[in-house]
Amino acid sequence: MKIHLRQIPQDTTVHLTDELDPAFLELDPEEATAITPVHCALDVGVSGGGLFATGRITVGIRLTCVKCLNEFDTTFVVPDFAAQVELDGRESVDLTPEIREDILLVLPTHPRCDADGRTKCPATFRSAPAAPLTEEVEPSTWSALDQIKPKK
Ligand SMILES: [Zn+2]
């Protein structure tokens, strides 16, 4: 996201929004694919020879669950993006590296499709043999009781 300083009036902040092509995220296609543009909503101002920007960044990303290997889509939000850049007489500032860095920070290293707390990961069903095993124990318990009964 390039910001031209002439867009920004002195002593105030401007609200800038932009939709960035997610190619700059350079995600490993084996692990993650951006499925929406990177949406930036930033308040940008200039003070003391520096440019500062704060705001919110959102992007939709398709990840592969490490447990069930299914692909799932999640919207990632950087709720409190903040960057400060020295101006050095420049006329424009490119915040793309800062935006990329913050998005990469919110991406999970071991994505789970049930990380949202609503999805049931199919792999957790498959790897839950505890219930059937307990049921299998019961018949032998009953037959043990049957063996006791006739002795009465
Ligand atoms: Zn899963």
Side-chain angles (χ1 to χ4, degrees):
M1 182 174 182
K2 271 206 166 184
I3 296 165
H4 290 274
L5 294 185
R6 60 171 185 273
Q7 286 178 278
I8 303 160
Q10 280 291 327
D11 304 319
T12 182
T13 60
V14 287
H15 189 72
L16 300 174
T17 58
D18 206 353
E19 301 267 330
L20 307 178
D21 183 328
F24 74 94
L25 294 175
E26 292 168 16
L27 298 171
D28 181 347
E30 298 271 301
E31 293 174 1
T33 318
I35 49 167
T36 69
V38 179
H39 181 79
C40 306
L42 303 178
D43 291 309
V44 183
V46 175
S47 80
L51 175 139
F52 62 90
T54 57
R56 186 180 163 93
I57 296 161
T58 51
V59 59
I61 299 209
R62 178 164 296 161
L63 295 166
T64 303
C65 175
V66 292
K67 292 219 72 169
C68 64
L69 304 180
N70 287 337
E71 291 188 329
F72 64 101
D73 299 344
T74 310
T75 301
F76 286 95
V77 181
V78 180
D80 48 5
F81 174 80
Q84 195 153 11
V85 183
E86 291 276 321
L87 287 176
D88 306 326
R90 280 184 281 177
E91 284 183 2
S92 71
V93 169
D94 188 4
L95 290 176
T96 309
E98 281 82 0
I99 292 169
R100 175 175 186 268
E101 199 171 301
D102 273 36
I103 290 173
L104 296 188
L105 280 177
V106 297
L107 293 185
T109 40
H110 299 288
R112 293 275 303 265
C113 67
D114 57 2
D116 60 6
R118 295 186 310 255
T119 310
K120 282 261 183 267
C121 179
T124 50
F125 286 121
R126 263 184 256 140
S127 64
L133 277 180
T134 332
E135 278 162 30
E136 276 169 31
V137 173
E138 273 179 54
S140 58
T141 315
W142 283 113
S143 57
L145 283 173
D146 289 339
Q147 281 165 13
I148 296 166
K149 274 177 194 167
K151 287 179 188 172
K152 280 186 180 175

